[in-house]
């Protein structure tokens, strides 16, 4: 084997390993680098998964608690982050059913959340990407 062939094989193997094991890193960084309101508290850290039902769907979620409430927190996040940072990012109340079938964190199964008097202050930051690699399906 020639030296160039060995280098190409090594680069291909390293690229495949990065794709298989490090695909979550850009999504985690996207959620973690959002500009969030002062005084927020992380309730549940960022988690990234592929969908159980649709494996071409990637989802990431983080739950925070803001004393300013959901509406003010959503407005702050949308005005203090660029459109590029907000691509594929949605902001919901934690107890909303908007992503209940695809979500990672589920408020209806969260006993801690159900006991809290200030449930309107919990904000779900959700990343959802549907990969359309096969548009003919």
């Amino acid at each position: 084997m020639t030296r160039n062939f060995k280098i190409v094989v090594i680069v291909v193997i390293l690229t495949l390993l990065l794709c298989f094991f490090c695909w979550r890193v850009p999504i985690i960084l996207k959620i973690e680098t959002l500009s969030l309101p002062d005084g927020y508290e992380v309730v549940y850290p960022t988690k990234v998964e592929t969908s159980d039902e649709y494996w071409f769907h990637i989802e990431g979620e983080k739950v925070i608690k803001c004393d300013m409430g959901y509406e003010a927190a959503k407005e702050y996040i949308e005005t203090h982050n660029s459109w590029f940072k907000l691509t594929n990012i949605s902001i919901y109340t934690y107890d909303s059913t908007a992503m209940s079938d695809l979500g990672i964190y589920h408020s209806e199964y969260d006993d801690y959340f159900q006991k809290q008097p200030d449930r309107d202050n919990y904000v779900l930051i959700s990343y959802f990407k549907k990969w359309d690699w096969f548009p003919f399906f």
Side-chain angles (χ1 to χ4, degrees):
M1 283 198 264
T2 66
R3 180 184 165 142
N4 288 339
F5 182 73
K6 288 179 183 178
I7 291 173
V8 168
V9 168
I10 290 172
V11 168
V12 168
I13 290 172
L14 287 175
T15 303
L16 288 174
L17 287 174
L18 282 173
C19 289
F20 286 131
F21 297 110
C22 298
W23 61 271
R24 295 175 184 201
V25 172
I27 299 166
I28 291 171
L29 286 175
K30 185 165 188 137
I31 294 173
E32 290 296 323
T33 58
L34 287 173
S35 177
L36 300 175
D38 292 334
Y40 76 92
E41 172 188 342
V42 176
V43 178
Y44 297 115
T46 304
K47 264 191 186 176
V48 178
E49 298 177 352
T50 57
S51 175
D52 293 340
E53 297 175 17
Y54 308 104
W55 63 281
F56 283 129
H57 295 163
I58 297 175
E59 54 205 0
E61 289 182 358
K62 177 179 185 174
V63 179
I64 63 171
K65 180 181 176 185
C66 280
D67 292 334
M68 65 174 55
Y70 162 73
E71 291 294 330
K74 180 178 179 180
E75 182 179 333
Y76 181 92
I77 293 168
E78 289 175 345
T79 57
H80 288 83
N81 292 286
S82 67
W83 66 270
F84 180 74
K85 276 189 161 184
L86 293 173
T87 304
N88 300 321
I89 298 279
S90 299
I91 297 137
Y92 302 106
T93 59
Y94 180 47
D95 62 350
S96 72
T97 58
M99 299 271 296
S100 63
D101 59 337
L102 296 174
I104 297 170
Y105 295 116
H106 298 284
S107 64
E108 61 263 16
Y109 305 120
D110 188 353
D111 293 334
Y112 170 78
F113 173 73
Q114 297 300 332
K115 296 175 185 174
Q116 299 303 311
D118 56 350
R119 288 188 275 180
D120 294 339
N121 294 342
Y122 287 75
V123 179
L124 174 71
I125 301 170
S126 174
Y127 174 93
F128 182 74
K129 174 71 175 164
K130 178 181 174 187
W131 291 95
D132 294 324
W133 292 341
F134 304 107
F136 48 87
F137 286 128

